[in-house]
Amino acid sequence: MPNQITLADLTKGSASITNPALAGTGAPTGDVVPSAADAAAVAALTPDQQIAKLPAVDQTAVNQLAGQIDFTRDGIESTYGKDAQRATSTFADEILSDTRSKDTGEAGELLNTMLVTIDEAELGGFRKVPILGQVAVSIDKLRRRYQKVDAQIDEIITRLEAAQAKLVADISMYNTMYQQNAQQYRELKITVLAGKKALADFRATQLPALEAEADRSGDPMQAQVLKDFKSKLDRFEKRLDDLDRISVVTLQTAPQIKIIQNADQTIVDKIDTTISTTIPVWKSQMVIALGLSNQRKALDLQNKADDVTNKLLQRNAAALHKGAVDAEKANQRSVVEIDTLEKINSELIATLKETVQIQKEGKANREAAQAKMRQIEADLKQALLDNAQQM
């Protein structure tokens, strides 16, 4: 329990204090807020009840930070939680910078180039001639064409492996980002709960004493000091609401990171399948085609090899096309759908409007109460004077 504050303390700012409650807390040990299904129930709890649901280490952090909050300090209503807020902003800038500099389409383009190269090479033992149609290609020409395309494919594979290595590094980086985002979310929720607890405790224990002191003094200036201080508390409460909203944005960032990470993993898997399965199968089929061309029934066997190769290439081309298109669609898809943004925006606007209306109603009720209290005081004083004159 902090020392009792007087009206005189409100006219001077206290010295700034450090808040080490969150220092060295490490990775999150549990959820600071409940699941979505319990959100309504949690919102109805008092700060102390919400704190009681936290892990022991987080309860200690909240209580320590709450005990250090000094409402007489100048500017506390605008600077509280600023470090956590600044860290969240910096983290968001890092994610944005990384996604802007990422060329997620490079691997997909390489896969497409490989497909086009194989398709246009006409390695089935025939070449297309106008008017005559398909004409058998000599074994020497087929071999030279295969060697040329094989070199092109090897070059594309080298570039695919480099792109795959970068994607694997990015996936690891996103794991670190996800953990950092979770830690920032936890720190924001601890900061908000500590502020709510300190504010609730102050209003319940010390604010009534300040109000009583102002009433006893009968000094309008003292009453104004108290009124200004209450406004400061209201602004501090608004600051807590802003920090709470930032924590929600931080929570929304988590699935966004995972979406990007999963898209990268999809492309990594597709590259691995192409290098380890598709290309070896294609090469083996071409070796078979070349060998069959040397046999007695070269033409018939070559036709069969063409059929096998064409079917194989068609199946692989279809599989590669679908995989490349699906991966590219996943990469190009917006991290947050516009419908989601519109809904969040509508909810925020509605919340702000309702908050303003509630504040106006609260202010009006307080003003009405003030007028009534003044009338009560005047009536009572008049009654006492009348009573004293009649005695």
Side-chain angles (χ1 to χ4, degrees), residues 23 51 54 74 133 144 167-168 206 242 252 278 280 284 321 366:
I51 294 171
L54 300 179
D74 286 339
R144 288 194 298 270
L167 289 172
V168 170
Q206 299 206 46
D242 291 341
Q252 292 176 335
T278 304
S284 68
H321 175 75
R366 289 192 297 271

Side-chain angles (χ1 to χ4, degrees), residues 253-267:
T253 303
Q256 297 173 9
I257 294 174
K258 285 301 180 183
I259 288 172
I260 299 175
Q261 186 183 45
N262 290 336
D264 284 356
Q265 186 63 56
T266 299
I267 298 177

Side-chain angles (χ1 to χ4, degrees), residues 82-291:
K82 200 165 188 177
D83 291 341
Q85 184 181 23
R86 185 182 296 110
T88 301
S89 177
T90 301
F91 180 68
D93 290 341
E94 290 176 357
I95 294 180
L96 182 59
S97 175
D98 178 73
T99 53
R100 281 177 175 173
S101 61
K102 243 176 96 67
D103 184 7
T104 56
E106 179 184 3
E109 292 176 359
L110 289 173
L111 289 171
N112 183 67
T113 301
M114 179 180 292
L115 289 174
V116 172
T117 301
I118 293 174
D119 182 59
E120 294 180 349
E122 297 181 350
L123 296 176
F126 289 88
R127 62 185 178 87
K128 294 179 181 180
V129 178
I131 303 176
L132 297 179
Q134 288 186 332
V135 177
V137 180
S138 67
I139 187 64
D140 291 336
K141 289 182 178 180
L142 182 62
R143 184 179 291 108
R144 288 194 298 270
R145 187 175 297 169
Y146 169 76
Q147 292 172 348
K148 178 181 178 181
V149 174
D150 186 50
Q152 294 175 347
I153 297 301
D154 288 342
E155 180 183 354
I156 295 176
I157 289 176
T158 300
R159 295 171 61 188
L160 276 174
E161 289 174 339
Q164 184 184 40
K166 185 178 186 307
L167 289 172
V168 170
D170 288 346
I171 291 170
S172 176
M173 175 193 67
Y174 285 129
N175 282 331
T176 302
M177 279 188 172
Y178 187 84
Q179 292 298 324
Q180 184 180 351
N181 183 73
Q183 176 64 14
Q184 289 179 355
Y185 174 72
R186 172 177 175 266
E187 292 182 0
L188 280 168
K189 299 307 290 186
I190 288 177
T191 301
V192 170
L193 273 179
K196 288 182 177 180
K197 172 178 171 57
L199 184 61
D201 291 346
F202 187 88
R203 283 175 168 170
T205 58
Q206 299 206 46
L207 189 58
L210 292 173
E211 292 173 338
E213 182 182 353
D215 289 339
R216 287 195 303 269
S217 70
D219 185 354
M221 296 303 297
Q222 296 294 324
Q224 182 62 44
V225 169
L226 180 60
K227 181 179 182 301
D228 292 342
F229 184 68
K230 287 182 176 180
S231 296
K232 180 179 183 179
L233 296 181
D234 290 340
R235 292 193 299 274
F236 181 82
E237 187 173 19
K238 176 61 169 58
R239 174 67 175 173
L240 295 180
D241 180 73
D242 291 341
L243 292 174
D244 202 6
R245 292 172 190 271
I246 294 173
S247 73
V248 174
V249 174
T250 303
L251 180 62
Q252 292 176 335
T253 303
Q256 297 173 9
I257 294 174
K258 285 301 180 183
I259 288 172
I260 299 175
Q261 186 183 45
N262 290 336
D264 284 356
Q265 186 63 56
T266 299
I267 298 177
V268 167
D269 296 341
K270 190 58 186 178
I271 292 174
D272 187 65
T273 300
T274 301
I275 294 175
S276 63
T277 303
T278 304
I279 298 304
V281 168
W282 170 73
K283 288 186 176 182
S284 68
Q285 290 301 314
M286 289 310 307
V287 171
I288 293 174
L290 291 171

Side-chain angles (χ1 to χ4, degrees), residues 307-325:
D307 293 339
V308 173
T309 302
N310 288 332
K311 289 179 181 179
L312 175 63
L313 290 177
Q314 289 173 6
R315 287 197 299 268
N316 287 337
L320 283 172
H321 175 75
K322 185 178 184 304
V325 169

